[in-house]
Coordinates of all heavy atoms in Angstrom, one line a residue:
M146 N -18.6 53.9 7.3 CA -18.9 52.8 6.4 C -17.9 53.0 5.2 O -17.9 54.0 4.5 CB -20.3 53.0 5.9 CG -20.8 51.9 5.0 SD -21.1 50.3 5.7 CE -22.0 50.5 7.1
K148 N -16.5 52.6 1.5 CA -17.1 52.6 0.1 C -15.9 52.4 -0.9 O -14.8 52.9 -0.7 CB -17.8 53.9 -0.2 CG -19.0 54.1 0.7 CD -19.7 55.4 0.4 CE -20.9 55.7 1.4 NZ -20.4 56.1 2.7
I149 N -16.2 51.8 -2.0 CA -15.2 51.6 -3.1 C -15.1 52.9 -3.9 O -16.1 53.3 -4.5 CB -15.6 50.4 -3.9 CG1 -15.6 49.1 -3.1 CG2 -14.6 50.3 -5.1 CD1 -16.1 47.9 -3.8
N150 N -14.0 53.5 -4.0 CA -13.8 54.7 -4.8 C -14.1 54.4 -6.3 O -13.8 53.3 -6.8 CB -12.3 55.1 -4.7 CG -12.0 55.7 -3.4 OD1 -12.9 56.2 -2.7 ND2 -10.7 55.7 -3.0
V153 N -20.3 53.2 -9.0 CA -21.4 53.9 -9.7 C -22.5 54.1 -8.7 O -23.2 55.1 -8.7 CB -21.9 53.1 -10.9 CG1 -23.1 53.7 -11.5 CG2 -20.8 53.0 -11.9
W155 N -24.0 53.2 -4.4 CA -23.8 52.6 -3.0 C -25.0 52.9 -2.2 O -25.8 53.8 -2.5 CB -22.5 53.1 -2.3 CG -22.4 54.6 -2.1 CD1 -21.7 55.5 -2.9 CD2 -23.0 55.4 -1.1 NE1 -21.8 56.7 -2.5 CE2 -22.7 56.7 -1.4 CE3 -23.8 55.1 0.0 CZ2 -23.1 57.8 -0.5 CZ3 -24.3 56.2 0.8 CH2 -23.9 57.5 0.5
E157 N -26.4 52.6 2.1 CA -26.2 52.3 3.5 C -27.5 51.7 4.1 O -28.6 52.3 3.8 CB -25.8 53.5 4.3 CG -24.4 54.1 3.9 CD -24.0 55.3 4.7 OE1 -24.7 55.6 5.7 OE2 -23.0 55.9 4.3
W161 N -32.1 44.8 9.5 CA -33.5 44.6 9.8 C -33.8 43.2 10.2 O -34.5 43.0 11.2 CB -34.3 45.0 8.5 CG -35.8 44.9 8.7 CD1 -36.6 45.6 9.4 CD2 -36.6 43.9 8.0 NE1 -37.9 45.2 9.3 CE2 -37.9 44.1 8.4 CE3 -36.4 42.9 7.1 CZ2 -39.0 43.4 8.0 CZ3 -37.4 42.1 6.7 CH2 -38.7 42.4 7.1
C164 N -32.1 35.8 8.3 CA -32.8 34.6 8.0 C -31.9 33.5 7.8 O -30.9 33.6 7.0 CB -33.7 34.8 6.8 SG -34.8 36.2 6.9
Q169 N -26.1 29.1 5.0 CA -25.8 30.5 5.0 C -26.8 31.3 5.8 O -27.8 30.8 6.2 CB -25.8 31.0 3.5 CG -24.9 30.3 2.6 CD -25.0 30.8 1.2 OE1 -25.2 31.9 0.9 NE2 -24.8 29.9 0.2
V170 N -26.5 32.5 6.1 CA -27.4 33.5 6.7 C -27.6 34.6 5.8 O -26.7 35.2 5.2 CB -26.8 34.0 8.1 CG1 -27.8 35.0 8.7 CG2 -26.5 32.8 9.0
L171 N -28.9 34.9 5.5 CA -29.3 36.0 4.7 C -29.6 37.2 5.6 O -30.4 37.2 6.5 CB -30.6 35.6 3.9 CG -31.2 36.7 3.0 CD1 -30.2 37.1 1.9 CD2 -32.5 36.2 2.4
K178 N -29.5 55.3 3.2 CA -29.0 56.3 2.2 C -28.7 55.6 0.9 O -28.3 54.4 0.9 CB -27.7 56.9 2.7 CG -27.8 57.8 3.9 CD -26.4 58.4 4.3 CE -26.5 59.2 5.5 NZ -25.1 59.7 5.9
F181 N -26.1 57.4 -6.3 CA -25.7 56.8 -7.6 C -25.2 58.0 -8.5 O -25.7 59.1 -8.4 CB -26.8 56.0 -8.3 CG -28.1 56.8 -8.6 CD1 -28.2 57.4 -9.8 CD2 -29.1 56.9 -7.6 CE1 -29.4 58.1 -10.1 CE2 -30.2 57.6 -7.9 CZ -30.4 58.2 -9.2
D183 N -24.5 59.1 -12.7 CA -24.9 58.8 -14.0 C -23.7 58.4 -14.9 O -23.3 59.1 -15.7 CB -25.6 60.0 -14.6 CG -26.3 59.7 -16.0 OD1 -26.5 58.6 -16.3 OD2 -26.6 60.7 -16.7
E185 N -21.6 54.7 -16.6 CA -21.8 53.4 -17.2 C -21.4 52.3 -16.2 O -20.2 52.4 -15.7 CB -21.1 53.2 -18.5 CG -21.4 52.0 -19.2 CD -20.9 51.9 -20.6 OE1 -20.5 53.0 -21.1 OE2 -20.9 50.9 -21.2
F189 N -23.2 41.9 -15.4 CA -23.0 40.4 -15.6 C -24.4 39.9 -16.0 O -25.3 39.8 -15.1 CB -22.4 39.7 -14.4 CG -22.1 38.3 -14.7 CD1 -21.0 37.9 -15.4 CD2 -22.9 37.3 -14.2 CE1 -20.7 36.6 -15.7 CE2 -22.7 35.9 -14.4 CZ -21.5 35.6 -15.2
Y190 N -24.6 39.4 -17.2 CA -25.9 39.0 -17.7 C -25.7 37.8 -18.6 O -24.9 37.9 -19.6 CB -26.6 40.2 -18.4 CG -28.0 39.8 -19.0 CD1 -29.0 39.5 -18.1 CD2 -28.2 39.8 -20.3 CE1 -30.3 39.2 -18.7 CE2 -29.4 39.6 -20.9 CZ -30.4 39.2 -20.0 OH -31.7 38.9 -20.5
K198 N -25.1 49.6 -21.9 CA -25.3 49.9 -23.3 C -25.3 48.7 -24.2 O -25.9 48.7 -25.2 CB -24.1 50.9 -23.7 CG -24.3 52.3 -23.1 CD -23.2 53.2 -23.5 CE -23.3 54.5 -22.9 NZ -22.2 55.4 -23.2
V201 N -28.9 47.0 -23.9 CA -30.0 47.7 -24.5 C -29.7 48.0 -26.0 O -29.0 49.0 -26.3 CB -30.3 49.0 -23.8 CG1 -31.5 49.8 -24.4 CG2 -30.5 48.8 -22.3

Side-chain angles (χ1 to χ4, degrees):
M146 181 74 49
K148 296 178 184 76
I149 298 172
N150 289 335
V153 174
W155 57 262
E157 292 181 10
W161 180 69
C164 301
Q169 302 175 34
V170 177
L171 176 64
K178 290 183 183 178
F181 60 92
D183 188 19
E185 190 170 344
F189 184 76
Y190 178 67
K198 288 181 182 179
V201 181

